[in-house]
Amino acid sequence: MTLEGIHSEVLRLASFVGAGPVNLPTFGYSDGDGPPHVEVDACRYHYVCAERGVENSRITTESLDELLYHVMKDVCFSLASDHAAANRRSGEDSRRSLFAHRLNLMEALSPEWGKRQGPENAEPLRRRPFDDNAEPRADLLVELRNQGHSAEE
């Protein structure tokens, strides 16, 4: 598929989940300011993240579905982050909402993508499990510092 065809397909998928241009990568060029971009060569697709001229990651595949999965995974993460921030619940790790919303969006786009997203959501939780008590601890820390206590106490 051509770069223009990929762009059209990403726009179609993005509109399905309510994503706007701010959530999308660029196509054929990097704006050099951090958002990912999509490249196409003779037989492969590339999803590239670069910032300030330094390439941070590159996913290369011959599969259009694989490329679209990675693009939409990031688009859905952006949407889910906005959703989690707008719907914060006191006493709840905001990643609960973020991961659930991202999974729902990916499943809406493709049941197969949803199946892949579930285990990918679980990976960061192995390193850092949900912590529903982080907010009360932070509030207590602020209160203690306002009372003149140091971080060492």
Side-chain angles (χ1 to χ4, degrees), residues 86-98:
N87 296 284
R88 285 192 67 98
R89 289 185 227 159
S90 182
E92 180 179 284
D93 188 321
S94 62
R95 295 176 301 158
R96 289 186 189 279
S97 173
L98 185 149

Side-chain angles (χ1 to χ4, degrees), residues 15-82:
S15 70
F16 185 74
V17 293
V22 69
N23 306 110
L24 303 180
T26 56
F27 294 84
Y29 69 94
S30 171
D31 73 0
D33 202 17
H37 67 277
V38 175
E39 301 172 357
V40 177
D41 62 26
C43 59
R44 296 178 302 180
Y45 307 110
H46 308 274
Y47 186 56
V48 184
C49 295
E51 190 169 1
R52 296 186 183 129
V54 176
E55 190 171 301
N56 297 316
S57 69
R58 175 180 290 265
I59 296 168
T60 299
T61 182
E62 294 179 8
S63 165
L64 177 62
D65 186 71
E66 184 72 9
L67 172 72
L68 293 173
Y69 171 79
H70 288 286
V71 169
M72 295 312 297
K73 179 174 77 166
D74 284 354
V75 169
C76 290
F77 181 83
S78 177
L79 295 172
S81 294
D82 292 345

